[in-house]
Amino acid sequence: MSFNIIGTGRALPKKCVTNDMLASFLDTSDEWIYTRTGIKERRILTDESLLDLAYECSLAALENAGVAAEELDLIIFSTLQGDYISPSLCCLLSKRLGAVCGRQLDINMGCSGFIYALDIADSYFRADKAQKVLVVCAEAMSRISDWTDRSTCVLFGDGAGAVVLEKGDGFKAINLTVDGAYEDLYVPIPQGNCPYSPHSDEEGFLKMNGQDIYIFAVSAVVREINAILEQEGITPDEPDYYILHQANTRIIDSARKKLKQPAEKFPVNLDRFGNTSSATIPIMLDELNRAGKLKNGGKLIFCSFGAGLTTGVCAIEWTKQ
Ligand code: ACO
């Protein structure tokens, strides 16, 4: 037996940065950003820490699930970069939540982190090592964005989403892929000061070849969705929602058109939040859940892509009572 998703939560920084605000210090415009990406604004951390966001969305998910932090057997925290390199943010989060489980880990699988975390959780449930699991995705993209590079910094935002899982049969299938290519999307590590190792001048900012990632994403998303639909023996019409990684509305629209589905089935929030890496899918899921749009027994497809280059796709039956 695997798991059901029984609670969701999200947290966004209070500072809203519009495209026009970016155009005040970058050679860009609201028109360029919106037509190329679908983004109108994003939230950016100011005096909040990533831990603050993680705590807020975890608390919301636990309350939504009716689960106390003490009941958790496992916490999986997905982030590209926490508040510290060490300790892992899961340790600080569990202390603040009052969780007592020893099984906790941070993972860094970029934008696919949420799907990878679900895969890890699935293994714990199947091994009977967990009854209740918290998956948290919290990302501070503003810290690794180069705010002088108009081709990347306009795309991202900060945010966090969480889900609470408990034993059940709602998790139906998952597929993950990694191709090991890094040149098109990577973040260099901060330089140390070891006198014996060569130092590069490269700064610790996200580097991306947007066009190559775009080409990768438009073919990978449809390929992976079609594969999991076939695996599960369901037609593209059957899922209630396809919750895709929120990187670019053109990528989402391209997948939707190839699958011949209406826009309502491919919800979008990147107009308000930008690309929050691994947090995009749990944030979107929480919005749908709290708006009462998820019906019991409904089929959901989650699909992500990102640095690695990775893809992650999974099929869920929504079973929250
Ligand atoms: N404002 C104005 N002009 C800009 C900006 C900007 N913010 N950024 C780039 N430009 C210019 C470029 O310099 C270029 O000018 P040139 O023709 O004079 O050289 C022109 O706009 C076109 O640039 P392209 O890169 O060809 O624009 P494109 O249509 O490909 O859109 C984008 C770029 C939005 C990045 C697109 O390629 C994309 O979305 N790629 C996928 C990115 C993605 O999904 N990343 C996330 C995946 S993983 C993760 O989530 C971490």
Side-chain angles (χ1 to χ4, degrees):
M1 191 179 268
S2 187
F3 62 77
N4 294 331
I5 299 177
I6 60 162
T8 64
R10 68 181 187 277
L12 282 308
K14 55 188 175 302
K15 176 82 177 171
C16 176
V17 176
T18 64
N19 291 344
D20 284 336
M21 288 161 78
L22 296 180
S24 71
F25 63 93
L26 287 169
D27 181 14
T28 189
S29 65
D30 176 52
E31 199 267 334
W32 191 97
I33 300 171
Y34 185 65
T35 53
R36 300 287 177 125
T37 69
I39 299 167
K40 291 296 270 182
E41 58 192 39
R42 71 287 292 142
R43 301 299 184 88
I44 299 296
L45 287 166
T46 50
D47 54 358
E48 309 101 328
S49 66
L50 201 54
L51 177 60
D52 293 335
L53 287 194
Y55 175 69
E56 190 185 327
C57 73
S58 299
L59 211 55
L62 287 165
E63 278 170 10
N64 189 238
V67 168
E70 298 82 7
E71 294 177 67
L72 295 170
D73 306 303
L74 168 69
I75 298 175
I76 308 173
F77 198 122
S78 163
T79 187
L80 276 166
Q81 182 182 277
D83 289 329
Y84 306 94
I85 287 178
S86 187
S88 293
L89 214 42
C90 59
C91 306
L92 309 183
L93 174 66
S94 68
K95 180 174 184 200
R96 202 185 280 189
L97 286 172
V100 290
C101 55
R103 290 199 166 101
Q104 310 182 5
L105 68 157
D106 280 12
I107 64 166
N108 176 351
M109 289 306 289
C111 302
S112 295
F114 179 61
I115 312 282
Y116 276 79
L118 295 183
D119 189 55
I120 296 168
D122 173 52
S123 306
Y124 274 85
F125 282 111
R126 287 183 195 281
D128 215 15
K129 282 180 161 180
Q131 304 292 325
K132 301 264 194 303
V133 173
L134 174 68
V135 171
V136 192
C137 302
E139 303 283 9
M141 302 305 288
S142 60
R143 294 182 187 156
I144 53 171
S145 295
D146 179 352
W147 288 85
T148 65
D149 177 8
R150 67 177 184 173
S151 70
T152 52
C153 75
V154 303
L155 305 173
F156 299 101
D158 302 332
V163 294
V164 176
L165 315 174
E166 89 173 354
K167 269 202 165 201
D169 290 320
F171 184 72
K172 298 299 185 190
I174 187 162
N175 289 322
L176 306 168
T177 71
V178 179
D179 76 3
Y182 82 92
E183 301 86 347
D184 286 333
L185 180 51
Y186 69 100
V187 184
I189 57 166
Q191 296 293 302
N193 63 357
C194 173
Y196 304 109
S197 52
H199 295 288
S200 91
D201 293 332
E202 207 168 29
E203 292 173 295
F205 297 135
L206 182 145
K207 319 270 181 208
M208 185 173 72
N209 178 337
Q211 282 186 357
D212 283 2
I213 297 290
Y214 188 92
I215 291 163
F216 165 74
V218 288
S219 68
V221 166
V222 171
R223 182 191 66 226
E224 293 305 317
I225 290 177
N226 275 327
I228 206 157
L229 292 176
E230 197 176 322
Q231 213 172 301
E232 286 301 284
I234 56 179
T235 68
D237 294 344
E238 287 180 66
D240 289 349
Y241 289 104
Y242 291 86
I243 305 182
L244 268 48
H245 175 46
Q246 305 281 304
N248 188 318
T249 45
R250 289 189 291 148
I251 295 171
I252 296 171
D253 272 350
S254 154
R256 179 179 71 73
K257 284 176 187 155
K258 285 182 188 150
L259 292 160
K260 300 187 173 56
Q261 296 301 306
E264 311 82 76
K265 281 192 171 190
F266 283 68
V268 164
N269 63 14
L270 86 152
D271 52 331
R272 288 170 288 137
F273 304 139
N275 177 347
T276 56
S277 191
S278 70
T280 67
I281 294 176
I283 290 173
M284 189 76 249
L285 185 68
D286 185 55
E287 291 200 304
L288 294 170
N289 180 26
R290 285 172 196 266
K293 292 187 172 169
L294 303 176
K295 65 171 197 285
N296 235 9
K299 293 181 173 57
L300 306 176
I301 301 291
F302 301 158
C303 186
S304 64
F305 59 90
L309 296 172
T310 62
T311 65
V313 63
C314 68
I316 298 276
E317 185 178 310
W318 186 255
T319 44
K320 183 171 156 42
Q321 297 302 315

